[in-house]
Amino acid sequence: MMSFVLLAQTGNEQVGWLSRKLLGVTLTSAEWVLWVLVVLSVFSIGLMLERTVYFATHRLPDSEALAVRLARGELEAVRAAVGERKGMEAAVLREALASVEQGPDTVEQVIASTVARERPQYERYLSFLGTLGNNAPFIGLFGTVLGIIKAFHDLGNMGAKGAAIQQTVMAGISEALVATAVGLAVAIPAVVAFNVFNRQLKTLTSRTNALGHALVGSLKARNGSRPGASTEAR
């Protein structure tokens, strides 16, 4: 650290042209990095709340009971229970039940296409949370580096000695480290939310597939139990 201070005190005459230009760019305050992190934090909190509301309102709370009804062949009761509810499960059941007359194979295709269509609605904004969680610490570290560079540069221009050097350097570094702390504070909730929403999406997709399998199984059992089905199979 002392060698860096002595180098800074020798002036800019021994510094190359490119180094002087880059130093002039980096000698800005790190406060703008903090503002960037604050803005990103506000966005991430808003997206977390929006995704929480979306996941809570786009699901079927009684999907297990509906799966049992589908397995029993109570298709009309399931159609009435789904009604106009929102979400992947409700959309899959509505469209699958609408294509029951076309046979189990068609129903399977309808289920697969509906899941593929509805899934991106749940994945919306999750990539932003994942990217923010991975990169916010680096943004904070960038602000810390800027702050440390400015602290050493100011120290070299002051020409301080003894205890004044330590006081100046420590004060500048402590202020610069705030950016790293803020970056971590922004990243950790974003990573947690990203993992939680991904887990909920996997669970929702599994429940949707279970409903689809129950419906297809019921249709195949119904077709297999029709009179003359065994004769046609021969």
Side-chain angles (χ1 to χ4, degrees), residues 1-10 152 155 165:
M1 180 181 296
M2 295 301 299
S3 61
F4 189 93
V5 173
L6 294 175
L7 180 62
Q9 291 177 341
T10 59
F152 279 117
L155 180 62
I165 293 178

Side-chain angles (χ1 to χ4, degrees), residues 39-40 43-44 47 124-133 190 194:
V39 172
L40 292 175
F43 273 111
S44 66
L47 293 180
R124 184 182 300 173
Y125 308 129
L126 296 188
S127 60
F128 175 84
L129 293 177
T131 303
L132 181 62
F194 177 77

Side-chain angles (χ1 to χ4, degrees), residues 73-91:
E74 302 175 3
L75 304 185
E76 292 301 326
V78 173
R79 184 180 285 108
V82 172
E84 297 298 327
R85 290 189 178 183
K86 301 177 181 179
M88 182 190 301
E89 299 161 300

Side-chain angles (χ1 to χ4, degrees), residues 207-218:
R207 294 170 57 180
T208 303
N209 290 330
L211 291 171
H213 290 320
L215 176 58
V216 172
S218 176

